[in-house]
Amino acid sequence: MSDDRFEGVSFMLAEMYASLDAARQVVYRTAEMVDAGVPAQRESAVTKLFVAEAVWRIVDHAMQVLRGIGYTTDFPVQAIFRSARLMRIEAGSDEIMEFLIAREVLKEMKS
Ligand SMILES: Cc1cc2nc3c(=O)[nH]c(=O)nc-3n(C[C@H](O)[C@H](O)[C@H](O)COP(=O)(O)OP(=O)(O)OC[C@H]3O[C@@H](n4cnc5c(N)ncnc54)[C@H](O)[C@@H]3O)c2cc1C
């Protein structure tokens, strides 16, 4: 891919990669804490919130790169798009994760 001709797409790819890389690091950090038996309630909520939003951003960019064709059932992106949106609702919605994080942060601030 030529950087000159597809600069806009390359920015989206860079954002997708940055989101994926950051999401991986957050997952590994929390997994290490859980493996070590360290309490990780706040970090688990941060992970669920951050990863679900990162997946949503990544798939949204994938849809944008593919444009109209990505919306058709000829490509799997439209199905992933729907599943990615569910990640922000199921097993504790974004708002519930924010509630849990805020509760832990406020507890720490008061102690
Ligand atoms: C396809 C699918 C599969 C599912 N699979 C499972 C499963 O296997 N096991 C299981 O247990 N559940 C499952 N669920 C349920 C899922 O976990 C719930 O849909 C989710 O927890 C949200 O609950 P709710 O739909 O009752 O929405 P509500 O709890 O009514 O929430 C509605 C909205 O209000 C917000 N909200 C709610 N309470 C607060 C609050 N206190 N402060 C701020 N905002 C708030 C929520 O974030 C949400 O945006 C599944 C749901 C779907 C759609």
Side-chain angles (χ1 to χ4, degrees):
M1 181 192 300
S2 155
D3 288 345
D4 295 339
R5 283 191 303 140
F6 299 108
E7 196 177 27
V9 172
S10 74
F11 288 161
M12 275 193 263
L13 287 176
E15 276 185 41
M16 290 159 84
Y17 182 80
S19 293
L20 179 63
D21 193 37
R24 274 204 189 108
Q25 299 310 317
V26 172
V27 169
Y28 293 155
R29 187 272 314 260
T30 304
E32 276 173 19
M33 289 177 74
V34 171
D35 281 350
V38 176
Q41 285 89 343
R42 184 183 56 193
E43 289 73 15
S44 298
V46 167
T47 304
K48 168 73 170 65
L49 177 69
F50 187 84
V51 171
E53 286 183 347
V55 169
W56 171 246
R57 275 197 304 275
I58 291 166
V59 181
D60 191 41
H61 280 323
M63 178 73 85
Q64 198 69 21
V65 169
L66 286 171
R67 305 176 309 279
I69 196 93
Y71 200 74
T72 69
T73 51
D74 291 347
F75 283 86
V77 175
Q78 41 77 31
I80 301 169
F81 194 73
R82 201 158 177 262
S83 301
R85 191 63 188 84
L86 177 63
M87 285 180 71
R88 295 181 57 193
I89 298 168
E90 67 175 351
S93 63
D94 285 1
E95 289 78 15
I96 297 304
M97 293 304 116
E98 284 163 357
F99 170 80
L100 296 173
I101 296 163
R103 189 178 65 184
E104 294 300 313
V105 170
L106 290 170
K107 214 188 291 177
E108 198 175 288
M109 284 168 73
K110 284 178 190 161
S111 65

